[in-house]
């Protein structure tokens, strides 16, 4: 026996799902859960309408298959009847009916029956029901609609007209004609038929339900070409206007229910959203009070069922069915048909329905509001209700998130916003990374230069000491006025200059010692500025944001740093200007900056200013050691020094800012 109602008739092939939400959008029962970026059918919620199978472009939704079970029945040797749903003309337009019937027989079926005869009986039963005064009914031959009402509108179950479907009616006719041992296989356009009346104790009427697609597969497997099948006729009883059932309103016409719109007695709704709306409005009381009959189909007529392989559009399929019905009625032997109808007038076509409510933890207003906020929807204006997530409104989506059916990432505008932010953040961290990389390369280059400088300084230091010592000793021994004295004085002075250079190199290479003491920043800066001879038109201004700030550092060394910076700033303003020295405490650091409105440093020079002996000044004026020495000293204090400059008047005012950061509490470092 085919799967029961608790088993999923539709399953998801996870590896194929590309999470486009088309299935969520198309599912009238909201029976598809998106979790872990995968769509998954929830068996208890699924009404097996097959909409998701139809719309999934990736073939990621699969209906349960019945071919193996049908083959087993056929192989058993017992008689098996095939009952063809009246939508067959829309599926097999290429086949004359006798070929179609012959090809079905060729598979081993002993009887080939028209379900349309069952539809004739069902239509007559509906006509009788509607004649009962004051009765209000939901009339449907669609198992998906029945499933929907039983699960989602259990209070309306009693309104479902207690009439079996044409499939079951046909099965009951066949059982009466051929005995209870006859096996029956329904062949039709619908996968919901596989689950019709399959709960324990129910009588599903048929043993198995195949789709037209599966019928074609069986022909292929058995090597049967239906176009070549020996022609054959349907077994009696033959059908009448029941042939028109698979198009919308077909059932009303077959039942001869007058559809006078001014009376408002009949409401006909088909298609996945229309039937849901109609049921909801019936329950909420919005429907016209005069409405006595709600005729519902889940698809736009059974011709659009998901078990069809046809790719023809709706009205083409309808035309194929109506034309076939017309021909059928033209050929119909009315007397014979009436005879058959009266033979089965007493056939029991009754059935019952059961409320099988699907419970979902209802979301409160606060839950929904919280989830909406999480999805970046702060106000009603942010609720775009764009439907991209598969839910009609943002609130429905939020409620589905609450009950675990959906994920907030399904909100397209929200996800786009998040992606934009992520891209922005990546761009920022990319920039940071690039500048960190540059700084690293720069400090690596300086470090290797430091090693070289330290090596040279050490080697030169000793011989230089000897030169200095002897030149001073010689100077002491040479009488005033001696011809050699002038030369010796030059030797001693130049050796002194070398000593300073060597000491500067040792500073740069961080080879000198730091001797810490507590000083106020105000005194430190004043002393530094005093030591610099600035040209007349240059003014040095000092601004302390935190006056009296005490800091622990090597006073002489830092005085040298500030003096170097102020000197450079002054030298960069040959026509005069203002040098501003600013200090402040930030976190645990002293931040000292020296700003000038001078010529600025060109881009290509900017990365070289801390290299020893790099200078743009004329020989004799610049040594190219001021900044390297300052760099070394600041690093020995475990601080930082950096430079920002503009030398291009087209890009804005030119000038340079050198900023030094030093820890307030000194630590000796290398
Ligand atoms: P020197 O001053 O002996 O040239 P420095 O190491 O002090 O050596 O400076 C190196 C170079 O950096 C300078 O020659 C100059 O090109 C540039 N420089 C330093 N500070 C400034 C500044 N404030 N404005 C413009 N250029 C500067
Ligand atoms: Mg200098």
């Amino acid at each position: 026996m085919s799967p029961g109602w608790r088993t999923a008739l539709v399953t998801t092939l996870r590896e194929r799902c590309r999470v486009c939400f088309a299935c969520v959008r198309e599912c009238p029962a909201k029976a598809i859960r998106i979790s872990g970026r995968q769509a998954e059918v929830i068996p208890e919620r699924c009404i097996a309408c097959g909409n998701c199978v139809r719309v999934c472009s990736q073939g990621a939704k699969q209906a349960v298959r019945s071919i193996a079970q049908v083959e087993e029945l056929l192989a058993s040797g017992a008689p098996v009847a095939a009952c063809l749903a009246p939508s067959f003309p829309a599926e097999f337009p290429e086949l004359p009916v006798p070929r179609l019937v012959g090809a079905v027989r060729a598979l081993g079926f002993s009887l080939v029956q028209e379900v349309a005869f069952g539809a004739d009986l069902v239509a007559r039963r509906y006509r009788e029901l509607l004649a009962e005064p004051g009765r209000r009914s939901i009339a449907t031959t669609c198992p998906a609609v029945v499933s929907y009402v039983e699960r989602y509108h259990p209070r309306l179950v009693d309104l479902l007209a207690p009439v079996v479907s044409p499939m079951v009616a046909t099965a009951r006719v066949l059982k009466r004609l051929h005995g209870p041992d006859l096996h029956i296989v329904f062949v039709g356009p619908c996968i919901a038929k596989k689950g019709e009346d399959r709960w324990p104790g129910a009588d599903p009427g048929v043993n198995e339900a195949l789709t037209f697609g599966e019928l074609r597969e069986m022909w292929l497997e058995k090597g049967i070409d239906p176009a070549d099948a020996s022609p054959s006729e349907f077994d009696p009883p033959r059908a009448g206007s029941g042939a028109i059932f698979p198009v919308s309103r077909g059932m009303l016409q077959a039942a001869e229910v007058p559809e006078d719109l001014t009376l408002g007695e009949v409401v006909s709704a088909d298609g996945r959203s229309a039937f849901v709306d109609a049921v909801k409005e019936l329950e909420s009381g919005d429907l016209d009070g005069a409405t006595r009959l709600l005729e519902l189909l889940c698809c736009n007529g059974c011709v659009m069922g998901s078990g069809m392989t046809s790719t023809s559009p709706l009205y083409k399929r309808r035309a194929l069915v109506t034309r076939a019905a017309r021909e059928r009625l033209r050929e119909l032997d009315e007397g014979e048909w009436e005879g058959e109808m009266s033979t089965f007038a007493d056939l029991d076509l009754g059935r019952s329905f059961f409320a099988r409510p699907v419970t979902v933890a209802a979301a409160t207003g606060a839950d929904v509001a919280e989830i909406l906020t999480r999805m970046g929807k702060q106000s009603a204006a942010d609720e775009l209700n764009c439907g991209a997530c598969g839910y009609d409104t943002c609130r429905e989506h939020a409620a589905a998130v609450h009950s675990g059916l959906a994920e907030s990432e399904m909100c397209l505008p929200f996800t786009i916003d998040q992606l934009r932010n992520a891209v922005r953040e990546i761009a920022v961290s990319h920039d940071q990374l690039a500048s960190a990389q540059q700084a690293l390369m720069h400090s690596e280059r300086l470090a290797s230069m430091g090693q070289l400088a330290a090596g040279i300084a050490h080697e030169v230091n000793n011989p230089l000491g000897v030169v200095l010592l002897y030149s001073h000793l010689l100077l002491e021994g040479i009488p005033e006025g001696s011809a050699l004295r002038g030369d010796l004085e030059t030797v001693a002075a130049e050796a002194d200059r070398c000593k300073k250079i060597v000491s500067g190199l040792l500073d740069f290479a961080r080879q000198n010692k730091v001797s810490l003491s507590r000083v106020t920043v105000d005194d430190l800066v004043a002393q530094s500025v005093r030591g610099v001879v600035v040209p007349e038109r240059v003014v040095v201004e000092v601004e302390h944001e935190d006056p009296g700030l005490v800091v622990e550092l090597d006073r002489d060394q830092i005085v040298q740093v500030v003096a170097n910076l102020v000197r450079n700033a002054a030298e960069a303003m040959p026509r005069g200007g203002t040098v501003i020295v600013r200090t402040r405490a930030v976190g645990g650091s002293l931040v000292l900056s020296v700003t000038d409105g001078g010529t600025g440093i060109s881009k290509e020079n900017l990365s070289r200013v801390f290299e020893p002996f790099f200078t743009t000044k004329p020989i004799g004026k610049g040594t190219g050691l001021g900044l390297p020495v300052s760099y070394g000293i600041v690093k020995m204090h475990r601080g930082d020094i950096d430079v920002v400059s503009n030398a291009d008047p087209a890009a804005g005012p030119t000038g340079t800012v050198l900023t030094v950061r030093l820890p307030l509490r000194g630590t000796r470092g290398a």
Side-chain angles (χ1 to χ4, degrees), residues 453-481:
I456 295 170
H458 273 298
E459 289 307 312
V460 173
N461 220 6
N462 290 341
L464 191 61
V466 176
V467 171
L468 265 172
L469 180 68
Y470 281 97
S471 58
H472 282 284
L473 281 178
L474 281 173
L475 261 180
E476 275 169 30
I478 281 193
E480 294 282 341

Side-chain angles (χ1 to χ4, degrees), residues 289-410:
T291 306
R292 293 183 51 219
L293 180 72
L294 206 60
E295 193 237 355
L296 305 177
L297 285 177
C298 180
C299 300
N300 293 114
C302 302
V303 283
M304 296 306 283
S306 57
M308 304 274 292
T309 65
S310 166
T311 50
S312 301
L314 169 64
Y315 292 101
K316 171 115 188 261
R317 297 192 201 187
R318 285 179 67 146
L320 288 165
V321 169
T322 48
R323 192 187 317 138
R326 240 182 353 260
E327 278 164 22
R328 176 91 219 85
L329 289 173
R330 214 172 24 238
E331 288 165 12
L332 186 71
D333 180 332
E334 287 233 9
E336 193 184 313
W337 180 74
E338 286 290 355
E340 297 280 22
M341 288 295 282
S342 54
T343 307
F344 294 100
D346 62 334
L347 189 71
D348 175 18
L349 296 178
R351 63 158 301 172
S352 33
F353 301 96
F354 300 97
R356 289 176 277 165
V358 180
T359 45
V360 173
T364 64
D367 295 330
V368 169
E370 196 241 293
I371 292 167
L372 286 173
T373 314
R374 229 193 298 148
M375 292 195 289
K377 299 178 195 319
Q378 319 291 348
S379 68
D382 294 329
E383 293 172 34
L384 303 180
N385 299 329
C386 68
C389 58
Y391 291 87
D392 289 342
T393 65
C394 297
R395 285 173 180 269
E396 275 177 43
H397 179 196
V401 171
H402 176 80
S403 40
L405 296 177
E407 290 176 336
S408 42
E409 289 81 0
M410 290 159 70

Side-chain angles (χ1 to χ4, degrees), residues 587-653:
S589 298
L590 161 66
V591 178
L592 184 149
S593 64
V594 178
T595 306
D596 66 62
T599 51
I601 305 170
S602 68
K603 279 209 174 79
E604 58 273 24
N605 286 347
L606 204 58
S607 62
R608 303 196 57 199
V609 293
F610 294 108
E611 291 174 10
F613 307 115
F614 173 80
T615 180
T616 55
K617 293 167 193 168
I619 300 172
K621 186 109 176 66
T623 58
L625 276 177
L627 286 182
V629 165
S630 305
Y631 175 87
I633 291 173
V634 170
K635 288 287 170 187
M636 280 191 282
H637 281 77
R638 289 198 182 277
D640 260 319
I641 179 166
D642 63 52
V643 54
V644 178
S645 189
N646 175 38
D648 177 9

Side-chain angles (χ1 to χ4, degrees), residues 110-133:
S110 43
L111 293 166
V112 183
Q113 218 71 42
E114 276 183 295
V115 171
F117 182 71
D120 285 337
L121 294 172
V122 166
R124 192 174 59 186
R125 180 78 195 104
Y126 272 116
R127 194 165 62 234
E128 290 161 8
L129 264 185
L130 296 171
E132 291 175 21

Side-chain angles (χ1 to χ4, degrees), residues 61-77:
K61 297 284 185 305
Q62 203 174 43
V64 145
R65 295 167 58 78
S66 313
I67 293 179
Q69 292 87 328
V70 171
E71 278 173 348
E72 216 173 281
L73 284 179
L74 291 170
S76 72

Side-chain angles (χ1 to χ4, degrees), residues 559-606:
V559 163
Q560 195 186 343
V561 170
V562 180
N564 280 342
L565 301 186
V566 172
R567 193 174 297 119
N568 279 347
E571 285 171 359
M573 298 190 293
R575 279 176 300 192
T578 308
V579 179
I580 306 167
V581 183
R582 275 196 194 93
T583 71
R584 64 201 159 106
V586 177
S589 298
L590 161 66
V591 178
L592 184 149
S593 64
V594 178
T595 306
D596 66 62
T599 51
I601 305 170
S602 68
K603 279 209 174 79
E604 58 273 24
N605 286 347
L606 204 58

